[in-house]
Amino acid sequence: MQPIMDTSLWLAHKRRALTDPVDGADFLMNRAAEDLADRLGAVERKFGKAAVLFCQTPAAANVLGDSGKVADIVRVETDAAFLNGAAGLIAPLETVPFEPESLDLAVSLLSLQAVNDIPGMLIQIRRALRPDGLFLGAFAGAGTLGELRESLLAAETELYGGASPRVTPFTDVRDAGALLQRAGLALPVADVETVTVRYASLFGLMADLRAMGETSALTDRSRRPGARRLFARAAEIYAERFSDPDGRVKASFSIVWMSGWAPDASQQKPLKPGSAKVSLKRILEGR
């Protein structure tokens, strides 16, 4: 199958953003790191060895270190530039460079949306986890940049009679739960948190996306640079359809969270069908 994402281009965008940082453009990663701290805090156990997979910044590793729950933390990145002199491993984006059953915890923040083979990545993570090891991951999911997608589609169709894909097709939260099960992870949970950000115009959003390194890296993207009038018309449509009373426009980021455990005999098992002691009918009738 043809890959959806040009991962080399995605990494080039990330490197460019790293060399020209914009203050505050890391707000999504910071939000994801805060949520990671909350979710890890709800887990009442400690971990030996943890891997932080392709998180691009030290935010996730810092959360694990500050938690006091992890003894050994290994960062894995695609380029030494992302480590910024810190210790870590370098590996291709869609690989998990650890021996089977060598990790107690694996964390991934805001990179799985760039992976072409998410099921394969999750299977690698599950294999690398020791029995009863935990995976926590977050990625941009369905609904992310929906306003931008709609505005660009409408503008390009209006101006040229057709449209090229310009926004990544993100994974739905329901599909995320199924992917965890497919990978063989036990007790799978998937949920979504929507972050709404306001801008003066579409151009402020696009500047932030460039500063994040999250401009389009679709394999099937148009190779022609977008004309100025395309983005001008898209900005008009965006303002018409998605502005608040004060004139500022909204941009949605849907962050899908996944958690799952490597199977272990000590984990809770669902009851077998027909093993209940009290019938649902009696409960509903109040007997």
Side-chain angles (χ1 to χ4, degrees):
M1 293 180 62
Q2 179 180 346
I4 295 174
M5 298 294 294
D6 182 341
T7 54
S8 295
L9 181 60
W10 183 79
L11 289 170
H13 290 168
K14 290 292 182 180
R15 293 187 189 100
R16 181 182 63 192
L18 188 66
T19 58
D20 188 20
V22 175
D23 187 43
D26 55 354
F27 65 90
L28 276 183
M29 180 61 75
N30 291 338
R31 171 64 180 267
E34 290 173 3
D35 289 345
L36 173 64
D38 292 340
R39 291 166 187 267
L40 188 61
V43 180
E44 296 183 355
R45 60 167 289 184
K46 293 193 174 183
F47 301 90
K49 184 175 182 179
V52 179
L53 301 169
F54 309 112
C55 294
Q56 311 142 52
T57 81
N62 291 343
V63 167
L64 300 193
D66 293 344
S67 73
K69 293 186 173 184
V70 185
D72 182 21
I73 303 166
V74 181
R75 283 184 62 190
V76 181
E77 297 290 357
T78 56
D79 192 307
F82 297 118
L83 294 171
N84 194 28
L89 301 178
I90 305 302
L93 179 62
E94 302 198 17
T95 61
V96 179
F98 295 95
E99 294 295 322
E101 298 189 5
S102 62
L103 299 175
D104 300 292
L105 173 66
V107 171
S108 172
L109 295 187
L110 302 185
S111 63
L112 284 173
Q113 71 271 7
V115 170
N116 285 299
D117 185 10
I118 296 179
M121 187 73 173
L122 293 177
I123 288 171
Q124 291 182 70
I125 290 171
R126 192 261 299 161
R127 288 175 177 166
L129 289 171
R130 295 188 179 103
D132 207 31
L134 174 63
F135 166 63
L136 287 171
F139 62 93
T144 295
L145 301 177
E147 303 91 348
L148 179 62
R149 182 197 306 272
E150 181 178 325
S151 300
L152 286 170
L153 177 63
E156 195 163 11
T157 301
E158 176 186 312
L159 294 174
Y160 306 117
S164 302
R166 295 183 182 275
V167 178
T168 302
F170 297 104
T171 302
D172 186 86
V173 63
R174 292 167 295 184
D175 295 330
L179 288 172
L180 290 167
Q181 292 181 313
R182 179 178 170 182
L185 289 160
L187 308 174
V189 176
D191 62 90
V192 62
E193 295 187 3
T194 300
V195 179
T196 302
V197 186
R198 303 202 314 145
Y199 292 92
S201 72
L202 170 148
F203 298 107
L205 167 61
M206 293 181 66
D208 262 3
L209 292 176
R210 180 181 175 86
M212 294 177 195
E214 288 292 351
T215 48
S216 178
L218 290 169
T219 300
D220 195 26
R221 68 193 181 279
S222 172
R223 266 37 180 196
R224 294 181 304 172
R228 181 176 299 179
R229 67 174 184 148
L230 168 63
F231 293 109
R233 180 59 184 134
E236 292 173 351
I237 294 171
Y238 206 123
E240 291 166 3
R241 299 184 183 183
F242 303 110
S243 63
D244 286 330
D246 63 359
R248 296 180 69 81
V249 298
K250 296 176 288 190
S252 300
F253 298 88
S254 297
I255 308 302
V256 175
W257 276 93
M258 299 189 296
S259 68
W261 299 80
D264 184 72
S266 66
Q267 294 165 351
Q268 291 181 336
K269 302 293 189 299
L271 294 174
K272 294 181 180 179
S275 63
K277 303 299 183 182
V278 180
S279 72
L280 178 61
K281 180 180 179 181
R282 288 185 61 188
I283 294 174
L284 295 176
E285 291 176 347
R287 296 179 181 176

